[in-house]
Amino acid sequence: MAGAFELGGYGMTAHNRAARTISVFGATGSVGRSTLDLIGRNAGDYEVLALTANSDVAALASLAREHKARLAVIADESLYADLRDALSGSDVEAAAGEDALVDAASLGADWTMAAIVGCAGLKPTLAALEQGRTVALANKESLVSAGGLMMQAAARHGAVLLPVDSEHNAIFQCLAGGRLEEARRIILTASGGPFRRHSLEEMRAITPEEAVRHPNWSMGAKISVDSATMMNKGLELIEAGHLFPIGLGKIEILVHPQSVIHSMVEYRDGSMLAQLGPPDMRVPIAHALAWPHRMDGPSDPLDLAAIAKLDFEAPDEVRFPALRIARQVGEAGGTLPAVMNAANEVAVAAFLARQIGFLDISAIVERVLSGYNGLTPTGIDDVLEADHLAREAARQLTGRVKA
Ligand code: NDP
């Protein structure tokens, strides 16, 4: 996290410039819309450069018009004409395709939100880091797959990488109270998802509708399923290992069903700092948007008297094997996290398409991983090749594996 960890114990020489020009990758998604909600409330302070989406032309065009973006990019190249038509009569330029996403990142916005879902976000996020400005990172899959390369790119180009994932944003805030070298452990909290109390037998019959219904957070479909399998926490473990290089052995996962404490840092003297907040992504996004200052946030304040009590329990790696798999993969490193992530993306998509059962997701990830040794990637192409091969392997399995 180049620059970001040098101010006030863990903070920030970084760019003192106020975030002025803004780009949002994944603008039509849950995080993208929350980001634009904050920007819309403070419209005079920001100039929107680029907004992107995958295939939702209507939503992208409408957001681009509303926020007076300079450029709207649709990743699906075949939708270029639709986007151009939807933007006709406006000043918004239309572009399409993967290269156009990278070009949009190269516009060099002062502040970029990386909120594409999945490894598809990797290239644009890297391109944004290479501009040496501020990148707010929600797209955890890119950091899991190519964390080493991304951290190196941030350092090389003097970019500031701000964690938006609520847990990592919480850790980042807790580290303002001390130094990472003085931390004894980091405690990553997990809600436990909607099936925290389900038996393995009950999990067999879980439907996509049940899996996307998170008890505390409203999120996109993929991350909601990841939360239900707890692969989300596994991805976050690896993400935290890159952002806060303390060693995975010092990063623990703790189930905290109320999702009030978003994570904690325990220091060598025994002090434990926690960050609390309502389960609203606009809180960590606002933190990243205003950093190193603070801005007014629109969410309802926490009512701790109404919440009354906070519960904690150890995670169960038998019912949620993704936790064990991710820790092993994170320790092994190399291209294995990219393989795990790609297999998981395919398996989650297959589950949402009702091709496989809920328990098959982790089983497929483990089966795909068993075919790999995990080389150390020398560049982005190695990561993308591992990602590609793992996707192919997972696609072959999604038709037949039953856990
Ligand atoms: P959503 O599914 O709601 O939105 C995903 C966004 O990415 C949409 O704009 C979508 O466009 C775009 N997109 C999807 N596939 C591609 C592709 N192949 N190429 C380019 N763009 C694509 O996801 P979320 O907002 O929930 O999550 C975004 C990221 O943030 C994920 O990595 C997630 O893990 C992370 N995150 C999310 C949190 C949340 O609360 N939602 C919390 C913490 C992290 P379109 O609409 O056209 O499909």
Side-chain angles (χ1 to χ4, degrees), residues 17-143:
R17 63 166 92 207
R20 286 283 158 242
T21 51
I22 301 273
S23 288
V24 181
F25 287 76
T28 50
S30 167
V31 171
R33 285 176 185 275
S34 292
T35 306
L36 288 170
D37 175 74
L38 290 170
I39 287 168
R41 289 167 192 268
N42 301 276
D45 295 343
Y46 306 107
E47 183 193 337
V48 177
L49 287 189
L51 299 182
T52 84
N54 186 37
S55 58
D56 193 342
V57 168
L60 177 63
S62 152
L63 289 168
R65 282 175 187 273
E66 180 187 346
H67 294 278
K68 300 184 174 50
R70 253 191 247 169
L71 173 69
V73 184
I74 197 87
D76 183 339
E77 213 153 357
S78 69
L79 296 172
Y80 173 68
D82 292 353
L83 179 63
R84 200 194 45 209
D85 292 350
L87 289 170
S88 71
S90 77
D91 291 332
V92 188
E93 192 188 327
E98 282 182 24
D99 291 346
L101 284 180
V102 172
D103 291 345
S106 307
L107 288 177
D110 292 329
W111 190 94
T112 296
M113 167 56 79
I116 288 176
V117 62
C119 203
L122 178 52
K123 280 189 180 174
T125 304
L126 259 182
L129 288 170
E130 284 165 4
Q131 304 310 305
R133 306 285 168 80
T134 298
V135 176
L137 185 81
N139 175 216
K140 64 188 84 184
E141 296 91 348
S142 62
L143 199 62

Side-chain angles (χ1 to χ4, degrees), residues 140 143-144 165-168 171 188-191 219 223 227 230-244 248 251 253 262-263 326 340:
K140 64 188 84 184
L143 199 62
V144 167
D165 217 347
S166 58
E167 294 76 3
H168 306 76
I171 295 163
L188 206 54
T189 55
S191 70
M219 308 182 285
I223 186 176
S227 297
M230 292 196 77
M231 177 55 91
N232 184 48
K233 214 44 60 179
L235 296 173
E236 288 179 5
L237 174 75
I238 298 173
E239 184 185 8
H242 287 295
L243 292 170
F244 314 108
L248 290 189
I251 306 178
I253 293 169
H262 299 303
S263 276
M340 179 190 81

Side-chain angles (χ1 to χ4, degrees), residues 244-324:
F244 314 108
I246 188 177
L248 290 189
K250 290 185 176 176
I251 306 178
E252 294 175 13
I253 293 169
L254 179 68
V255 175
H256 163 46
Q258 291 93 351
S259 298
V260 169
I261 296 179
H262 299 303
S263 276
M264 299 178 253
V265 175
E266 183 186 72
Y267 288 97
R268 56 194 287 207
D269 56 10
S271 285
M272 195 180 275
L273 301 193
Q275 188 264 350
L276 288 69
D280 182 339
M281 279 305 291
R282 291 176 301 177
V283 176
I285 295 169
H287 177 261
L289 194 53
W291 180 88
H293 304 288
R294 298 274 181 176
M295 65 191 286
D296 291 336
S299 3
D300 292 336
L302 270 184
D303 183 346
L304 288 172
I307 293 166
K309 78 186 179 95
L310 301 178
D311 296 310
F312 304 98
E313 62 194 46
D316 180 348
E317 293 189 354
V318 174
R319 285 181 304 127
F320 298 98
L323 292 170
R324 168 183 53 76

